[in-house]
């Protein structure tokens, strides 16, 4: 039952059971992220209603969803998708009977404000709007909203159908509880921010890492390919199974984090003090562009994406096998 209108709805916000019944969800914005989300929702059995103001984006949407959907079927050993996908010419049609709206509009705050104002004239007050924004904090998005508590930031990592992280933030714990349960039912891994923050968690970490990667190139310490190879074959492997804090906890041996900080804290501080703050000037940008071109070795963006996705699928299959063993 809808909390505000009394209408019967699927995926009720007040439902605290562990199972998530099929819902009708909207995907607003039919670009790269929207297609990935739609595949994930559809594969989990939900009905997906999609809309984009661009006719071309709408017309080709089903074809763009088919690829990620096939990848999800590959991971799940051929399980057929259960949900339906439809695209709609009007926003009002796309929002009929939806419980969750996954918003993937461009990173333009005034545009998002206009979109939310339109949405709020169409849907009931308890329909959740989840923004895929990669950088903007919740506080930048809600001005002008009639029901700001319904909005959450739900930032995925690209592509969301293969990378499970979803970073959520909002002021209403009940809304966040429901959203976390929903994303978890998709096979995603939601994490909750305790405080509104630009860039959320993972993009802040990624930006900090890339800043030093750029500094290393700009200072001539190593070239682009060497930096990437060092990351992939070193800490990247460890980070795929351990977080940064836990890795240092193990780095302290029997003493754990306390032992690490007591014995190696000063050397860590020395490294922090030596980290750079590079500027993306013309020379640095040229080094980066030339460096990734050398590393790509003639492979197109499409080829590189295919290689990335193939590796992510293998990792997802391995994670699924490990989870099945623990079950």
């Amino acid at each position: 039952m809808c909390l505000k209108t009394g209408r019967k709805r699927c995926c009720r916000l007040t439902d605290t059971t562990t199972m998530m019944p099929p819902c009708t969800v909207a995907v607003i914005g039919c670009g790269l992220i929207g297609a990935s989300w739609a595949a994930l929702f559809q594969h989990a059995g939900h009905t997906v209603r999609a809309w984009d103001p661009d006719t071309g984006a709408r017309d080709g949407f089903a074809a763009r969803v088919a690829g990620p959907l096939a990848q999800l079927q590959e991971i799940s050993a051929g399980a057929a998708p259960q949900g339906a996908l439809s695209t709609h010419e009007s926003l009002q049609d796309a929002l009929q009977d939806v419980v969750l709206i996954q918003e993937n509009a461009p990173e333009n705050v005034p545009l998002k404000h206009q979109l939310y104002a339109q949405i709020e004239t169409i849907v009931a007050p308890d329909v959740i709007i989840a923004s895929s924004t990669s950088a903007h904090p919740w506080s930048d998005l809600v001005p002008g909203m009639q029901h700001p508590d319904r909005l959450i930031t739900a930032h995925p990592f690209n592509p969301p159908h293969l990378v499970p992280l979803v970073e959520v933030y909002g002021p209403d714990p009940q809304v966040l509880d429901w959203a976390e349960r929903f994303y978890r039912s998709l096979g995603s891994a939601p994490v909750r921010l305790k405080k509104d923050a630009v860039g959320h968690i993972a993009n802040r970490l990624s930006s900090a890492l890339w800043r030093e990667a750029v500094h290393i190139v700009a200072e001539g310490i190593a070239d682009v390919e060497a930096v990437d190879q060092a990351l992939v074959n070193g800490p990247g492997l460890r980070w795929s199974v351990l977080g940064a804090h836990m890795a240092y906890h193990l780095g302290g041996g029997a003493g754990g984090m306390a032992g690490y900080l007591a014995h190696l804290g000063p050397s860590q501080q020395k490294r922090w003090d030596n980290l750079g703050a590079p500027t993306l000037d013309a020379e640095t940008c040229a080094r980066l562009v030339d460096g990734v071109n050398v590393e790509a070795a003639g492979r197109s963006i499409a080829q590189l994406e295919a290689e990335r996705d193939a590796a992510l699928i293998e990792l997802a299959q391995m994670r699924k096998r490990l989870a099945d063993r623990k079950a």
Side-chain angles (χ1 to χ4, degrees):
M1 196 72 68
C2 170
L3 297 178
K4 302 294 174 62
T5 68
R7 292 187 292 123
K8 289 184 178 180
R9 303 164 64 98
C10 62
C11 285
R12 295 173 299 174
L13 187 58
T14 52
D15 183 1
T16 58
T17 60
T18 56
M19 297 298 292
M20 179 65 71
C23 300
T24 300
V25 298
V27 170
I28 304 304
C30 295
L32 185 69
I33 299 298
S36 185
W37 272 129
L40 189 59
F41 297 154
Q42 188 181 355
H43 188 262
H46 302 299
T47 298
V48 182
R49 301 174 68 86
W51 176 82
D52 193 291
D54 184 344
T55 303
R58 293 197 308 269
D59 291 345
F61 191 59
R64 292 196 301 279
V65 172
L69 195 55
Q71 292 177 332
L72 287 167
Q73 288 178 272
E74 183 180 349
I75 293 169
S76 58
Q82 301 174 5
L85 170 67
S86 58
T87 55
H88 300 267
E89 292 185 3
S90 73
L91 178 61
Q92 182 165 353
D93 286 345
L95 297 182
Q96 293 304 306
D97 298 319
V98 302
V99 175
L100 176 82
I101 300 166
Q102 191 74 44
E103 172 266 303
N104 313 289
E107 291 287 78
N108 180 315
V109 171
L111 186 151
K112 289 182 184 288
H113 288 170
Q114 294 173 15
L115 179 60
Y116 300 156
Q118 289 180 272
I119 290 172
E120 288 200 298
T121 65
I122 299 171
V123 300
D126 70 330
V127 174
I128 298 172
I129 303 172
S131 177
S132 298
T133 179
S134 62
H136 297 303
W138 178 89
S139 55
D140 282 359
L141 302 179
V142 295
M145 291 190 69
Q146 297 177 14
H147 303 282
D149 287 2
R150 71 160 73 201
L151 180 76
I152 64 171
T153 53
H155 170 240
F157 246 44
N158 182 40
H161 71 286
L162 296 180
V163 181
L165 176 66
V166 185
E167 300 171 310
V168 299
Y169 177 80
D172 189 329
Q174 186 182 25
V175 171
L176 290 177
D177 288 345
W178 186 93
E180 287 182 340
R181 189 165 62 88
F182 174 78
Y183 289 119
R184 197 172 289 114
S185 74
L186 305 173
S188 298
V191 296
R192 186 182 303 197
L193 280 73
K194 296 174 63 177
K195 182 179 179 181
D196 200 19
V198 174
H200 320 298
I201 301 170
N203 270 346
R204 293 174 71 92
L205 294 171
S206 296
S207 294
L209 175 66
W210 194 46
R211 180 173 66 181
E212 186 55 28
V214 171
H215 174 68
I216 290 171
V217 173
E219 290 297 301
I221 297 170
D223 60 25
V224 166
E225 186 171 11
V227 172
D228 284 357
Q229 286 297 315
L231 178 60
V232 168
N233 293 291
L237 287 174
R238 190 166 61 192
W239 290 335
S240 68
V241 294
L242 290 174
H245 297 303
M246 186 58 71
Y248 281 107
H249 179 58
L250 297 185
M257 179 66 83
Y260 179 86
L261 294 174
H263 296 289
L264 297 173
S267 67
Q268 180 69 63
Q269 184 67 57
K270 184 177 181 180
R271 289 193 293 273
W272 282 347
D273 293 342
N274 195 245
L275 296 178
T279 300
L280 291 176
D281 54 26
E283 181 181 357
T284 301
C285 288
R287 287 190 185 186
L288 297 176
V289 172
D290 291 344
V292 294
N293 285 336
V294 169
E295 187 176 2
R299 291 168 293 175
S300 67
I301 295 294
Q303 289 173 306
L304 293 168
E305 287 177 338
E307 291 177 11
R308 176 203 66 190
D309 289 354
L312 288 173
I313 289 170
E314 289 193 34
L315 286 171
Q317 290 171 329
M318 181 189 69
R319 288 166 62 98
K320 185 176 184 300
R321 288 195 298 270
L322 291 173
D324 290 344
R325 290 175 190 170
K326 295 178 181 178

